[in-house]
Amino acid sequence: MKKISVRTSDGQEFELEENLAMESATIKTSLDAFSRDDIILLPNVNSWEMVKIIEFFTKVQELETKFGVKFMEKKEGRFLEAFQAEFDKDLSDDNLYCLLWTVDYLGIEVLLENLCHLMAERTKNKTVESCRNLFGVQHDYTPEEEAEIREDYSWAFEGPEIEE
Amino acid sequence: MSVLPDELWRRVFEIGGFSYKDLCCVSITCRRFRRLSDEDHLWSHLLSSDFPLVAPHPSSSSVTSKSLYKLRFERDRDKKIAAHQRALLRKESQIIEHLRKLRDIESRLAQETHKMRATRVDLSNFHQVRQASLALNVWQPEIIRGRQKQIVEQCVVPTESRLHALEMELRLCKQQISGLEKAYKDEKQRLGLAEEELQSMRYHPLRDHRPLSSGDAQCTSKSKKLKRCKGQSFACSCFQSHSFLLLSSPVKLLFFCSFGLNFDI
């Protein structure tokens, strides 16, 4: 199996198996345009992100061997929850964002879907304030808009609700 | 963080399996997320998953899926609240019925007890008469004899048969009383059960049982808390006397509050 070399933003080089490298639409485009022997430069990707991506691929391959299901080929959206949980626990919110961005850039559909799912899980069942912290946004409503929102959304909340 | 492009966020919301509450929360965070989470396809998905059995709304382009969802949600919730209140009312009238029966039994008990006492008095009088007439058969000092004759002569009805009747009556009274006491106990038990059931129907684990400390003045500023109550079953302590009001809007809650009524919020 041919190996493809990539170089991340901090100069580190990684080797990927060709079929896995092709999962990334971006890398695939590069490979199609250039020789397979060239090192592909990924200035937008950090090495820790690359490590995570490789970890993902490795895990998927393990699962495919174990369960005999070609997750990648079937473009199976979400994997086993145990795997997801494991992937989740090392990722801080910030790292998840970075990884999401990178994976989106690289165009790795399967991983992207899983990461979106992870992000969604982190967003659910939270208070408004926690969501704001998670998204890194500020309250930007005018007082009129705020009053409108209270009126608009009062139907949805029974328990501890919109703060402020 | 928020540097993630809109398309990615859209994807997160689509994939995420968010509930209506989650989407609303996200919507409240800021303008951008309000726009992102308000998208029609997200809400129409929720509509079809949460209210699958409801007939589809005659489509009109001005009605967004989100507002439709809200409508169905409120109807559903209002239905549930109404059903719960009806159940509460039924339970309460059941309790009233029990209380009425208890009062009824109490009054009958009082009557029988009174009757029993009267019968006892009668009985003891007649016993006296009988004793007197028996005593007349033996020798007695003249004074005593005289008195006994008086007692016997004053009694105009046949002693023995009257005594017999009175004793029967007394037995009957006692029987009645015992029966009534048992009935009272049973009814009391049923009342207790019904009251317990009412109590558990009213119980809401999220509600704070602090009574409003300074009543009226704080009410309008507590409109948030009132809105919190909006979706809950309204078993406030004033319910019994105002049970005809269906509390399904914040306006009515404010109305209540302004009268400084004790409220379980």
Side-chain angles (χ1 to χ4, degrees):
Chain A
M1 180 69 66
K2 189 137 173 37
K3 298 264 188 196
I4 307 288
S5 297
V6 298
R7 190 183 293 158
T8 54
S9 60
D10 46 357
Q12 252 195 295
E13 282 184 21
F14 295 89
E15 268 192 353
L16 294 170
E17 288 181 13
E18 188 176 350
N19 62 327
L20 292 178
M22 298 292 253
E23 286 293 327
S24 158
T26 313
I27 293 178
K28 184 167 187 291
T29 314
S30 295
L31 286 175
D32 289 343
F34 303 106
S35 153
R36 288 187 183 209
D37 296 323
D38 289 340
I39 296 180
I40 298 187
L41 298 175
L42 300 173
N44 294 328
V45 182
N46 289 324
S47 48
W48 73 262
E49 289 166 347
M50 205 63 225
V51 165
K52 270 287 184 203
I53 291 169
I54 292 175
E55 187 188 308
F56 172 80
F57 283 139
T58 317
K59 276 268 156 43
V60 167
Q61 281 185 319
E62 270 175 32
L63 284 174
E64 285 185 343
T65 319
K66 186 173 175 191
F67 291 101
V69 180
K70 294 280 177 200
F71 289 110
M72 299 287 233
E73 267 171 45
K74 288 174 72 171
K75 303 290 178 206
E76 191 78 5
R78 280 181 264 126
F79 297 165
L80 302 174
E81 278 165 22
F83 161 65
Q84 274 214 315
E86 211 182 300
F87 210 70
D88 186 30
K89 66 178 186 249
D90 300 329
L91 276 177
S92 69
D93 289 344
D94 284 353
N95 284 349
L96 181 55
Y97 277 109
C98 293
L99 198 56
L100 255 171
W101 198 93
T102 302
V103 170
D104 182 43
Y105 161 73
L106 286 173
I108 307 175
E109 273 306 302
V110 165
L111 180 51
L112 186 62
E113 197 162 324
N114 278 274
L115 289 175
C116 283
H117 187 68
L118 272 183
M119 178 56 86
E121 288 304 310
R122 288 188 191 193
T123 313
K124 289 199 272 188
N125 292 319
K126 294 267 167 44
T127 63
V128 171
E129 201 48 57
S130 317
C131 277
R132 284 202 183 112
N133 286 335
L134 180 65
F135 300 153
V137 298
Q138 298 294 325
H139 169 277
D140 61 355
Y141 292 114
T142 64
E144 295 79 27
E145 282 172 338
E146 166 118 18
E148 192 188 303
I149 292 202
R150 281 190 191 285
E151 193 50 48
D152 265 354
Y153 291 104
S154 57
W155 61 272
F157 296 98
E158 291 183 86
E161 46 113 301
I162 318 167
E163 81 298 9
E164 287 150 359
Chain B
M1 339 276 176
S2 52
V3 298
L4 285 185
D6 282 1
E7 307 83 60
L8 262 187
W9 279 117
R10 281 201 187 94
R11 201 154 170 190
V12 170
F13 295 143
E14 274 167 24
I15 287 176
F18 284 71
S19 70
Y20 71 89
K21 225 179 252 198
D22 295 323
L23 274 184
C24 288
C25 250
V26 166
S27 195
I28 292 167
T29 52
C30 67
R31 285 197 187 125
R32 179 183 172 211
F33 279 96
R34 189 178 183 187
R35 183 176 41 83
L36 287 170
S37 60
D38 264 12
E39 290 189 358
D40 210 62
H41 64 98
L42 292 172
W43 286 97
S44 59
H45 175 75
L46 265 183
L47 249 182
S48 49
S49 70
D50 287 358
F51 299 107
L53 299 175
V54 183
H57 194 265
S59 60
S60 105
S61 54
S62 58
V63 179
T64 63
S65 293
K66 184 177 173 190
S67 51
L68 201 56
Y69 187 95
K70 176 183 171 183
L71 197 72
R72 298 235 170 107
F73 181 88
E74 283 177 330
R75 259 193 224 150
D76 190 57
R77 182 200 56 202
D78 288 347
K79 255 194 250 173
K80 287 194 181 129
I81 290 178
H84 183 80
Q85 283 172 339
R86 279 197 299 273
L88 277 178
L89 275 174
R90 273 197 297 274
K91 193 49 72 180
E92 282 173 354
S93 39
Q94 206 182 26
I95 288 177
I96 289 172
E97 185 55 29
H98 285 310
L99 286 170
R100 193 196 58 79
K101 281 193 185 143
L102 281 172
R103 277 197 299 275
D104 187 49
I105 296 174
E106 273 168 359
S107 97
R108 280 161 63 195
L109 258 173
Q111 272 175 359
E112 284 300 317
T113 312
H114 180 79
K115 199 165 151 192
M116 186 175 74
R117 286 197 192 120
T119 311
R120 277 206 174 117
V121 166
D122 264 351
L123 248 178
S124 108
N125 288 342
F126 273 99
H127 271 130
Q128 264 186 340
V129 169
R130 195 215 282 170
Q131 261 176 338
S133 68
L134 283 175
L136 280 172
N137 296 328
V138 298
W139 181 89
Q140 312 237 45
E142 206 40 59
I143 311 168
I144 298 173
R145 223 183 155 75
R147 220 185 301 140
Q148 282 166 350
K149 257 199 190 157
Q150 210 181 24
I151 293 173
V152 173
E153 275 156 15
Q154 269 176 0
C155 179
V156 293
V157 297
T159 322
E160 280 310 312
S161 60
R162 192 76 187 111
L163 264 174
H164 189 68
L166 281 172
E167 273 163 5
M168 279 285 289
E169 234 174 88
L170 188 64
R171 255 200 304 276
L172 259 167
C173 275
K174 282 182 179 165
Q175 247 174 14
Q176 282 281 72
I177 287 175
S178 142
L180 284 167
E181 279 172 348
K182 179 163 190 309
Y184 189 86
K185 195 168 151 205
D186 288 342
E187 200 63 35
K188 196 93 196 193
Q189 206 176 34
R190 275 182 230 127
L191 173 68
L193 263 167
E195 279 174 339
E196 252 176 51
E197 278 167 18
L198 184 66
Q199 191 80 316
S200 73
M201 279 162 83
R202 283 181 173 164
Y203 174 70
H204 193 298
L206 291 179
R207 264 209 309 268
D208 196 357
H209 289 276
R210 275 181 293 113
L212 283 178
S213 45
S214 51
D216 322 37
Q218 291 182 6
C219 280
T220 44
S221 71
K222 284 202 162 85
S223 59
K224 281 178 287 183
K225 285 192 190 163
L226 289 174
K227 282 192 178 159
R228 198 197 309 160
C229 282
K230 194 178 171 201
Q232 296 170 354
S233 59
F234 293 98
C236 50
S237 57
C238 56
F239 191 86
Q240 265 175 312
S241 48
H242 297 272
S243 53
F244 57 91
L245 278 177
L246 276 183
L247 306 171
S248 60
S249 81
V251 174
K252 284 177 179 161
L253 286 168
L254 282 170
F255 164 85
F256 257 66
C257 204
S258 68
F259 278 73
L261 290 165
N262 217 22
F263 214 90
D264 281 349
I265 294 184

